[in-house]
Amino acid sequence: MGRVYEATCGRGFAALYDRMLAGAEDAGLRDRRRDLVSQASGATLELGAGTGLNLELYPDAVTDLVLTEPSPHMARRLRERAASASGRRVEVVESPAERLPFPDDSFDTVVATLVLCTVADPERTLAEVDRVLRPGGRFLFLEHVRANDPRLARWQDRLHGPWRFLGAGCNCNRDTPGTLDASALTVEHLERGELPKSPPIVRPLVAGRAAARPSA
């Protein structure tokens, strides 16, 4: 359910990505995306924007929108979708989440949906999020995660290797809430749910909001 953020996502996977997610989107994932990005405002950065499934969901409160995507195949489709967007400036930047080419304190909001499962270094990614957010800025996230249920978590560990291969680098057993708690960000809200119409090992879902460090 993720994309490879080492820029190794293949042309075929990029072409099929929207189709693979269509069932989940129609069964409620798109509504979850909309609820999440409705909280965005000001200068907004989206990490690993893929083919741009969030693009038309952003509210008018978003003034400038920058979309990063390291896969050139995904980025090509993202640019095509962004070209038809209206009402705000949209920029597409090919960049991994661990090395964002932006100055400190550049954004009011950072968004990640189904991204942290595939980044090569989630700790460094969250450090970059904190760096580019303005003091008190918001990080909005929607991610599938390691299960709280021990039995399902064991299955996630057993099937991690095959799933990572089939899912183009997706890690089904990442403890993203734990990584967030250990980061410089402050989690303000987190709710658990399920990724609809998906295999059990990627079904546990979290959505929420974290704040960047306050100004000194």
Side-chain angles (χ1 to χ4, degrees), residues 117-195:
C117 59
T118 52
V119 295
D121 188 337
E123 290 81 8
R124 184 170 176 179
T125 295
L126 293 180
E128 281 288 271
V129 169
D130 184 64
R131 180 184 68 79
V132 301
L133 273 174
R134 291 167 184 154
R138 291 176 292 184
F139 175 49
L140 307 175
F141 56 90
L142 174 67
E143 300 288 338
H144 72 84
V145 297
R146 184 176 184 82
N148 277 340
D149 174 32
R151 184 172 179 274
L152 180 53
R154 286 194 295 271
W155 276 109
Q156 289 176 316
D157 292 338
R158 290 179 188 132
L159 298 175
H160 170 257
W163 180 261
R164 192 172 191 276
F165 175 77
L166 293 171
C170 173
N171 295 275
C172 63
N173 58 350
R174 279 202 169 156
D175 179 16
T176 295
T179 306
L180 278 163
D181 286 340
S183 74
L185 300 163
T186 300
V187 177
E188 296 180 330
H189 176 73
L190 184 145
E191 61 183 43
R192 292 185 177 268
E194 291 188 344
L195 191 61

Side-chain angles (χ1 to χ4, degrees), residues 16-153:
L16 291 172
Y17 187 74
D18 287 6
R19 205 174 309 167
M20 290 188 296
L21 279 183
E25 296 287 338
D26 293 343
L29 180 56
R30 187 171 181 82
D31 291 336
R32 284 190 174 273
R33 290 181 187 271
R34 182 180 289 106
D35 290 345
L36 183 79
V37 303
S38 70
Q39 303 172 61
S41 62
T44 296
L45 170 67
E46 182 176 341
L47 304 180
T51 60
L53 291 175
N54 292 330
L55 186 56
E56 60 190 50
L57 304 178
Y58 281 99
D60 292 340
V62 171
T63 53
D64 296 303
L65 183 59
V66 179
L67 310 174
T68 65
E69 175 53 55
S71 162
H73 307 297
M74 288 284 198
R76 179 177 62 81
R77 294 177 178 276
L78 181 59
R79 287 191 177 96
E80 290 172 358
R81 188 167 263 159
S84 63
S86 60
R88 68 171 61 88
R89 185 174 69 88
V90 179
E91 180 181 3
V92 176
V93 177
E94 289 188 36
S95 169
E98 298 89 346
R99 297 186 302 278
L100 297 173
F102 310 112
D104 297 356
D105 305 338
S106 295
F107 297 97
D108 301 295
T109 310
V110 176
V111 175
T113 61
L114 305 184
V115 169
L116 297 178
C117 59
T118 52
V119 295
D121 188 337
E123 290 81 8
R124 184 170 176 179
T125 295
L126 293 180
E128 281 288 271
V129 169
D130 184 64
R131 180 184 68 79
V132 301
L133 273 174
R134 291 167 184 154
R138 291 176 292 184
F139 175 49
L140 307 175
F141 56 90
L142 174 67
E143 300 288 338
H144 72 84
V145 297
R146 184 176 184 82
N148 277 340
D149 174 32
R151 184 172 179 274
L152 180 53

